[in-house]
Amino acid sequence: AQSVTQLGSHVSVSEGALVLLRCNYSSSVPPYLFWYVQYPNQGLQLLLKYTSAATLVKGINGFEAEFKKSETSFHLTKPSAHMSDAAEYFCALSGGYGNKLVFGAGTILRVKS
Amino acid sequence: AAGVIQSPRHLIKEKRETATLKCYPIPRHDTVYWYQQGPGQDPQFLISFYEKMQSDKGSIPDRFSAQQFSDYHSELNMSSLELGDSALYFCASSRISTGANVLTFGAGSRLTVL
């Protein structure tokens, strides 16, 4: 069985502050892990992916995530938040080629000026 | 670059009516997935097709059916619509041969059932 847990349904940071969105996973097979971002009334855009290569993954818009097998985590970070980062972020897991994505419940990021 | 195209973007139906959503995957992508996202919820997997054959099935109601056609576009048919079917329906496509199962999502079709 596979599952994704995102800690914190809402995260609020000040502009320029560190962004940390937490994601833990459970998988019976080596996972592929993803972070997607969704702006209001829009589709899901891929931020970054982990596919069993480098454990520190860099994505678009200055985001990065580190795969930690010992902690079964894949937390998303950005050193300095920008107002345009305000959106909902989904962590997702796949068990391999052709497998569906299993999503976490999502974290809404609010950026305060 | 071409993206996943979904139509219609918005659809309003009455209870017990039927709705059809269409999805045009990225060219050369061989797999299509359908997801349902209710208000304030995460996307839930409905069904997927690989090379026009159903490859996986999730929490798709019996009232729903889907298929992938020879040109790789897919349609999700929903009958006897209920209020609870109101949601954002996403289609995604991927090309398994590129590895890592990266899904590219369409902008979604918002279904409102009155």
Side-chain angles (χ1 to χ4, degrees):
Chain A
Q2 298 173 315
S3 66
V4 176
T5 302
Q6 290 184 241
L7 300 175
S9 58
H10 292 78
V11 170
S12 183
V13 301
S14 298
E15 192 172 19
L18 171 72
V19 175
L20 170 61
L21 304 182
R22 299 177 188 273
C23 172
N24 288 88
Y25 69 91
S26 174
S27 178
S28 55
V29 298
Y32 294 149
L33 292 160
F34 307 83
W35 277 99
Y36 282 86
V37 60
Q38 185 177 33
Y39 297 98
N41 298 312
Q42 293 190 26
L44 294 157
Q45 180 183 5
L46 180 67
L47 275 179
L48 49 79
K49 63 183 186 289
Y50 166 76
T51 58
S52 73
T55 56
L56 182 61
V57 181
K58 294 187 184 299
I60 62 172
N61 301 337
F63 285 94
E64 62 181 38
E66 186 172 10
F67 172 71
K68 292 187 176 180
K69 184 178 179 181
S70 61
E71 299 177 8
T72 60
S73 69
F74 190 58
H75 302 330
L76 180 72
T77 61
K78 182 175 181 177
S80 176
H82 191 274
M83 295 296 290
S84 61
D85 294 327
E88 187 161 18
Y89 292 79
F90 290 95
C91 182
L93 174 153
S94 168
Y97 289 4
N99 287 5
K100 62 183 179 292
L101 287 179
V102 174
F103 286 88
T107 298
I108 294 175
L109 175 66
R110 178 185 169 217
V111 181
K112 300 175 291 185
S113 58
Chain B
V4 177
I5 306 299
Q6 291 188 245
S7 68
R9 290 294 312 278
H10 300 273
L11 190 61
I12 299 175
K13 291 286 186 179
E14 301 276 344
K15 283 194 303 184
R16 293 179 289 277
E17 285 191 322
T18 297
T20 297
L21 306 181
K22 297 184 178 182
C23 170
Y24 296 85
I26 291 173
R28 293 184 298 281
H29 276 198
D30 49 29
T31 307
V32 167
Y33 308 79
W34 284 98
Y35 283 83
Q36 177 192 57
Q37 186 179 30
Q41 299 185 6
D42 57 292
Q44 294 293 315
F45 172 71
L46 292 178
I47 195 166
S48 63
F49 293 88
Y50 169 68
E51 288 290 345
K52 294 158 280 186
M53 298 288 290
Q54 182 180 308
S55 54
D56 198 0
K57 192 173 183 181
S59 50
I60 183 169
D62 292 340
R63 300 177 289 108
F64 292 11
S65 65
Q67 60 181 125
Q68 187 178 29
F69 295 85
S70 57
D71 64 352
Y72 290 90
H73 95 272
S74 179
E75 293 183 6
L76 177 65
N77 298 292
M78 300 174 283
S79 62
S80 303
L81 288 170
E82 302 173 356
L83 296 178
D85 296 329
S86 295
L88 193 55
Y89 290 83
F90 287 109
C91 173
S93 71
S94 70
R95 186 177 178 189
I96 293 179
S97 58
T98 62
N101 202 48
V102 177
L103 275 64
T104 301
F105 284 81
S109 293
R110 183 171 296 281
L111 171 66
T112 301
V113 182
L114 302 176

